[in-house]
């Protein structure tokens, strides 16, 4: 346990890294440290931060911009682009559309507490347009993308999750002039990181040593 090769590791993660990155990191970690027990919980940014601060998790993998002086040590891992998507047969698919026109469409929104939801509303405030009407509200990323794929709604989605679907023509991308969305991904520890258990340090090393993420289709 002093060497970090045995013990329990508790992770909390937002949906994007939980679906596409953590499953790549953990096999590498477990191959090196097979005796470490790993527990993973997935939630939105707000819930993941709360779990970390309540000591229900040892570390968190979070996409988020607003931190409000929280006692959290952050390690920037990478940035993700986010794109607007619509069903493949939608008249906006493959076109350049103004944000004001796009938000007239029914949107698939994440639940309150989601940083992606807040990012969309922030864009609307910045460009002085009304926020979109809620067509459907999901507590998850994968479900929202599948509804667009099935033919309903518009959403703001991470490139990592939808690039393959766009290339196969299963969803359509909409370009909005003047908007290029990049969002940061952080590995987060509580400020008492100096007292973190060695097993946490071993996982951090695995993440920082890992190669850039590969894309996996839904």
């Amino acid at each position: 346990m002093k060497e970090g090769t045995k013990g329990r590791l508790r992770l909390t993660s937002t949906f994007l890294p939980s679906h596409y990155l953590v499953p790549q990191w953990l096999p590498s970690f477990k191959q090196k440290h097979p005796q470490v027990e790993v527990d993973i919980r997935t939630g939105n940014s707000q819930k993941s931060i709360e779990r970390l601060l309540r000591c229900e998790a040892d570390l968190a993998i979070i996409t988020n911009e607003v931190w409000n002086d929280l006692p959290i040590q952050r390690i920037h891992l990478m940035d993700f682009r986010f794109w607007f998507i619509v069903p493949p047969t939608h008249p906006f698919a493959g076109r350049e559309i103004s944000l004001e026109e796009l938000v007239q469409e029914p949107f698939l929104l994440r639940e309150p507490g989601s940083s992606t939801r807040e990012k969309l509303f922030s864009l609307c405030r910045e460009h002085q347009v009304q926020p979109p009407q809620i067509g459907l509200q999901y507590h998850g990323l994968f479900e929202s993308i599948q509804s667009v794929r099935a033919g309903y709604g518009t959403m703001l989605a991470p490139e990592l999750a939808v690039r393959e679907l766009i290339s196969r023509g299963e969803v359509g991308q909409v370009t909005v002039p003047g908007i290029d969305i990049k969002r940061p991904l952080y590995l987060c520890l509580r400020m008492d990181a100096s007292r973190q258990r060695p097993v946490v340090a071993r996982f951090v090393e695995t993440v920082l040593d890992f190669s850039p993420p590969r894309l996996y289709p839904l």
Side-chain angles (χ1 to χ4, degrees):
M1 294 183 72
K2 288 181 179 180
E3 295 174 354
T5 59
K6 189 174 183 180
R8 187 182 182 207
L9 177 68
R10 300 170 303 163
L11 306 179
T12 185
S13 174
T14 50
F15 289 93
L16 175 62
S18 180
H19 289 164
Y20 296 95
L21 299 178
V22 175
Q24 297 182 48
W25 297 334
L26 283 179
S28 177
F29 177 75
K30 285 291 287 185
Q31 286 166 8
K32 296 175 184 175
H33 312 297
Q35 297 186 70
V36 175
E37 177 187 349
V38 182
D39 179 76
I40 311 162
R41 296 193 180 189
T42 303
N44 62 36
S45 297
Q46 180 180 325
K47 288 182 179 178
S48 296
I49 290 170
E50 289 173 354
R51 285 172 181 154
L52 181 64
L53 293 177
R54 289 198 301 257
C55 298
E56 296 173 1
D58 300 307
L59 60 96
I61 311 294
I62 299 175
T63 301
N64 193 43
E65 287 88 355
V66 180
W67 296 94
N68 298 324
D69 298 322
L70 292 171
I72 292 176
Q73 175 188 354
R74 303 192 306 274
I75 301 171
H76 179 249
L77 298 178
M78 62 190 75
D79 290 324
F80 291 117
R81 272 197 161 85
F82 274 65
W83 293 340
F84 289 102
I85 61 169
V86 293
T89 58
H90 194 285
F92 291 170
R95 293 179 55 196
E96 184 175 270
I97 300 294
S98 71
L99 184 62
E100 183 176 13
E101 188 174 2
L102 185 61
V103 295
Q104 302 304 312
E105 298 295 309
F107 262 70
L108 302 181
L109 294 181
R110 293 280 309 283
E111 74 285 357
S114 161
S115 63
T116 302
R117 177 191 177 109
E118 180 51 40
K119 181 63 177 179
L120 176 60
F121 287 177
S122 175
L123 280 172
C124 291
R125 291 191 296 268
E126 179 184 344
H127 292 268
Q128 299 182 336
V129 302
Q130 291 294 320
Q133 68 180 72
I134 302 176
L136 288 171
Q137 181 172 288
Y138 278 109
H139 289 251
L141 171 66
F142 182 82
E143 302 92 319
S144 304
I145 294 172
Q146 291 305 305
S147 283
V148 176
R149 189 181 186 186
Y152 179 79
T154 303
M155 71 174 288
L156 183 61
E159 175 193 3
L160 184 63
V162 299
R163 179 189 289 177
E164 290 288 339
L165 296 179
I166 291 171
S167 68
R168 297 199 302 263
E170 296 181 33
V171 299
Q173 182 182 359
V174 180
T175 303
V176 178
I179 294 181
D180 182 21
I181 304 169
K182 291 181 181 178
R183 305 196 58 215
L185 178 70
Y186 294 100
L187 189 155
C188 301
L189 301 163
R190 289 183 297 279
M191 281 299 189
D192 59 357
S194 61
R195 297 190 296 274
Q196 293 286 356
R197 293 176 295 111
V199 68
V200 177
R202 298 290 83 76
F203 182 76
V204 172
E205 290 171 1
T206 298
V207 172
L208 296 182
D209 289 343
F210 208 81
S211 59
R214 290 171 292 172
L215 298 177
Y216 289 102
L218 290 172

